Amino acid sequence: MTETMHSEVAHRADERAPAPLLSVRDIRKTYGSYVGCTDVSFDLYPGEVMGIVGESGSGKSTLLNCLAGHLAPDRGEVLFDTRAEGPRDTVTMSEPERRMLSRTDWAFVHQNPRDGLRMGVSAGGNVGERLMAVGARNYGAIRESATDWLGRVEIADTRIDDRPSAFSGGMQQRLQIARNLVTGPRLVFMDEPTGGLDVSVQARLLDLMRGLVREMGLSAIIVTHDLAVVRLLAHRLMVMKSGHVVEAGLTDQVLDDPQHAYTQLLVSSVLQV
Amino acid sequence: MTDQAYNFAYLDEQTKRMIRRAILKGVAIPGYQVPFASREMPMPYGWGTGGVQVSAACLTPSDTFKVIDQGADDTTNAVSIRKFFERTAQVATTEHTAEATVIQTRHRIPEAPLGEDQILVYQVPIPEPLRFLEPRETETRKMHSLEEYGLMHVKLYEDIARHGHIATSYAYPVKVEGRYVMDPSPIPKFDNPKLEMAAIQLFGAGREQRIYAIPPYTRVVSLDFEDHPFDPSKADHPCDLCGADHTYLDEVIVDDAGGRMFVCSDTDYCAGRQAAGHRGRLSEEDAA
Amino acid sequence: MIRIENVSKSFALHNQGGAVIEVMTGATLAVAPGECVALTGNSGAGKSTLMRMIYGNYLTASGSIRIGDIDVASAAPREILELRRTTLGYVSQFLRVVPRVATLEVVAEPLLAVGTDREAALARARDLLTRLNIPETLWGLSPTTFSGGEQQRVNIARGFAHTYPAMLLDEPTASLDATNRDTVLTLIEEAKGRCAAIIGIFHDAPARDRVADREVDVSAYTPARAA
C-alpha cells in the first residue's frame, strides 16, 4: 500500500488554486499515416505531478514534446495559465512567447543530460545561463545563485568551475535539474529523468526531485516506463498504448487496481523486490 | 602595371550589384548578418576574400585605397591586396589614413579618427559571435531574430570564472544600436570604443558568406557585467619609437637575449608622430 | 461522516482469460462522527478491499462512498488527493517512506501538508514519538533502517499526527507489545473523543471490544462464489 506517500506529496493548503495550470485538449500528432498520439486531454493543477507511462513507441514522448512546445501537434490545444495573461494556448502563441516561457516558467529535463546541458561550459555557467537569458548582469549575484543551486542538488561548490564532462551520470542529471529550476519555473517536463542511472543513484535523484517539487510547489509531467518512479513521484498517472491514453487516475489506484488489460499486464510485469 | 582583361575591380558588375544590395541591407539593419553569394577570389579563404569583395563593390575610379593588416601597411597580406586593386581597378593607393577614402583592414581600427567621407572595410573570419557556444546555424539565427543573447554572457561568465576577469581580448562581442549582438572581427578590445565613429564600417566574411555593417554614429556597446565592466586595456608601455601612450602596441622581440620593444601597431600613425618630432625610448638606436 | 451505500466491486482479469471476479455487492454502512466501526469477517471476505475503496485506492464499480461532501466513488483524482490531505487518514500495516528522510519529518509531514506551523508540527511529532516509545536517538534517522515494530509505530504516529475527521485503521495494534498497544488504543479513543469517524480492522478481539462501538460483518456483502 502506498497511502502514506500520497498524503505526503499532496498539495499544500496555500497552493489550492481553482484554475488548472495546464489544460490539454484533444491533442493529436501523426507522422504521416502513423499516429504518434491522439485524443489526449487532461488538466494539471498547481502542485500536481502527473506520470505518463507506457512502453517504447506508445507515444508518451511525442505527447511530452507536443506539450512542451518542441513539436507542433496536428490538432488540439495546450492552455497554460501564464502569469501575465492567464490561460494561453501555447500551440498557437508566437514562437518568441513560447521560447520565453520555456526559459522562465517551464523547465525540461532530458533523459540524456548531454541533451540538456552545455558540455563545454562549466557547471556554474550551465546554471547561470537561464538567469543571464532573462537579463541577469551581475556576475557576483549569478555566481551566488549557481552556488546555491549546486548545493540544493548536492553538488559540492568546489565543482562549480568544472565542466559537466568531468561529472558522473548522476551528477550530470542533478546539474541539469539545477540548471532548469534556477529561474523558479512552475511547470517541469521530465523525459525519463532516471533512465540510464544505476539504482542507488536513481533513488537519490528521486528523493531530490520529490523534495524540490514539494518545496517549490512545482507541477510536473514525468514520462517514464519505470512504475517505481511514478509511484514515488506522481500523484496521478496516465497509461498510454499505441498513441492512446488507455487509463488514467490516481497513481496508487491505477497501479493497485488497474482496469485496462494493458495496465494489468504492465503492473504484473514488474519484478517485485 | 594594369590588366585590362578584368572588369573594374575584378568582379563583374552584376556581382558588385548583388554585394551592394547586401551592403545596403546591412547598413539598414545595423549589426545584422546579411547572407550574400560570396565569389571565388584569386586568393585563399582566410586571406581577406570577404573584405576584398566588399572593397571591390565600394571602389570607384576616383577613390584612394589603403590596406592594413594588424595596423601595418607593409605586411604580405596588405601589400598583395593593395597590389590586387592597383592592378584590377587602377585606383590610387596610399599608406596615409587621412588620404584614403576606402580602407580595408584586418584586425585593427586605425588610431587616427576617421571622417564621414571614409569607408572602413573589415575582413572577418567568423561572423557569428555565438558560434563557439551554439554550433547550430539554425539556432543562432533564431537567437538573433528573437534577441536571445543570454548565451553571449555565458561566454563572458566562463572567462571570469576561469581567469578572474573577462579574458576575451579580441573579437570582443558588442551590441549594435541596442539590438543585434555582433562580432567586431578580431580587432583588439582596445579598439572597441572606436567602433562608434563617423565613417561607414562594413564587414565582409567570404568563406561564411556574410556581410554586416555599422552606419556612422551608431551606438555600439561592449557587453559586460555590472561588477566586471568592460575595460579596453592595452600593454602598459609607451611606444618605443614615437613615445605615444594612447595607442595599441605590438611587442617585438629584438635579440636572442629576450630583449624586446613595444611599437605602435598602426605604422602610419607612428611614422606621422615621428615625423612631427615625437620620440620614444629606442628612437635613436632602432629608428632604422 | 462516512456513508457507504450499495457499493459493489469486481476485478476483471484481462490477462487471465477475461475472468471477472465479483468480490463485493450491496455494501452499505454509515459511520457517525465520534463513532468507531469495526469490520469483521473471514480472511478474504473483503475487509481490506472495502477499506481501499473508501480510500480511493480501488475503484468502486457502483454505489456511492460519501465522506463529508465528497463521493469517493465518483470524485476526480484531485478531489481525492485533497480529501486525503485534509479529511481522510489511513493507517496501514506497513510503513512505506522515501529513503533518507528523518523520522521526525516523516511524522510531521501530514501536518506540514495542511499548513500547520513548522514548530507546532514538529512538537506534535515529538510528542507522538515519545508516547509510542521511539527513542529520541532515532528521530533524526530514516525509519527505513528500523525494526518492523518500530516502523509500525512510526507509521501510527504519522497517521495520528493530523486530526483527520475520518480515519481508516488497518490492524493498528498488530505486532505491538502491551504498552504500545495500549497507547495506540488510547490514541484511537482520543480521536473518537474529538469526533472522528473511524472504520477499523482489528483481529485483536479485546482491542476491538475496547474501541469499537459496532461491528459490521462484510461477509454479508460477499457474493456467492458461483463462478
Side-chain angles (χ1 to χ4, degrees), chain A residues 99 103 122 137-140, chain B residues 139 148 157-158 226-227:
Chain A
R99 284 174 68 108
R103 60 175 192 270
S122 70
R137 292 291 179 265
N138 186 301
Y139 175 83
Chain B
E139 189 63 18
E148 291 181 5
Y157 169 95
E158 290 291 283
E226 292 160 9
D227 45 352

Side-chain angles (χ1 to χ4, degrees), chain B residues 16-28 32 34-37 210-213:
Chain B
K16 286 194 279 185
R17 284 182 62 181
M18 175 271 293
I19 294 172
R20 285 174 196 142
R21 278 192 217 107
I23 291 171
L24 285 174
K25 183 169 179 181
V27 171
Y32 172 70
V34 185
F36 80 109
R210 292 290 183 277
I211 285 171
Y212 51 101

Side-chain angles (χ1 to χ4, degrees), chain A residues 192-251:
Chain A
E192 302 276 10
T194 58
L197 299 176
D198 68 50
V199 182
S200 61
V201 176
Q202 266 191 32
R204 187 174 180 194
L205 190 72
L206 288 172
D207 177 30
L208 179 77
M209 290 195 292
R210 267 173 55 92
L212 291 172
V213 162
R214 202 159 28 137
E215 272 170 44
M216 301 176 70
L218 294 174
S219 301
I221 298 178
I222 301 175
V223 160
T224 179
H225 59 257
D226 187 337
L227 298 182
V229 168
V230 291
R231 205 186 258 282
L232 199 62
L233 283 178
H235 303 117
R236 288 165 52 196
L237 190 58
M238 252 171 39
V239 183
M240 292 191 71
K241 179 171 167 52
S242 310
H244 294 262
V245 175
V246 297
E247 187 163 356
L250 282 176
T251 302

Side-chain angles (χ1 to χ4, degrees), chain A residues 1-13 16-18 45 48 154 203-204 207-208 210 214 231-232 235-236 247 249-250 252-254 256-262 264-265 268, chain C residues 9-15 52 55-60 77-78 80-82 84-86 90-101 106 109-110 112-115 155 158 164 170:
Chain A
M1 291 290 286
T2 56
E3 47 283 350
T4 48
M5 246 179 275
H6 288 284
S7 59
E8 184 174 323
V9 288
H11 334 174
R12 304 271 176 89
R16 209 186 318 162
Y45 287 83
E48 264 185 354
E154 303 173 11
R204 187 174 180 194
D207 177 30
L208 179 77
R210 267 173 55 92
R214 202 159 28 137
R231 205 186 258 282
L232 199 62
H235 303 117
R236 288 165 52 196
E247 187 163 356
L250 282 176
D252 59 333
Q253 180 264 304
V254 173
D256 293 340
D257 185 17
Q259 305 295 307
H260 190 274
Y262 175 69
Q264 292 185 354
L265 181 67
S268 63
Chain C
K9 174 68 187 168
S10 60
F11 291 107
L13 305 176
H14 296 287
N15 299 307
R52 288 175 176 217
Y55 199 60
N57 183 229
Y58 279 5
L59 285 183
T60 302
R78 200 169 78 89
I80 296 179
L81 288 170
E82 180 65 10
R84 291 177 179 182
R85 191 172 68 85
T86 59
Y90 191 125
V91 178
S92 67
Q93 294 186 62
F94 305 101
L95 176 70
R96 200 198 270 238
V97 293
V98 187
R100 307 205 304 167
V101 180
V106 168
E109 214 289 326
L112 297 173
V114 292
N155 199 25
R158 180 185 162 85
Y164 298 102
D170 192 352

Side-chain angles (χ1 to χ4, degrees), chain C residues 39-57:
Chain C
L39 301 183
T40 60
N42 295 329
S43 203
K47 301 186 293 293
S48 291
T49 298
L50 183 58
M51 294 273 265
R52 288 175 176 217
M53 285 160 70
I54 298 168
Y55 199 60
N57 183 229

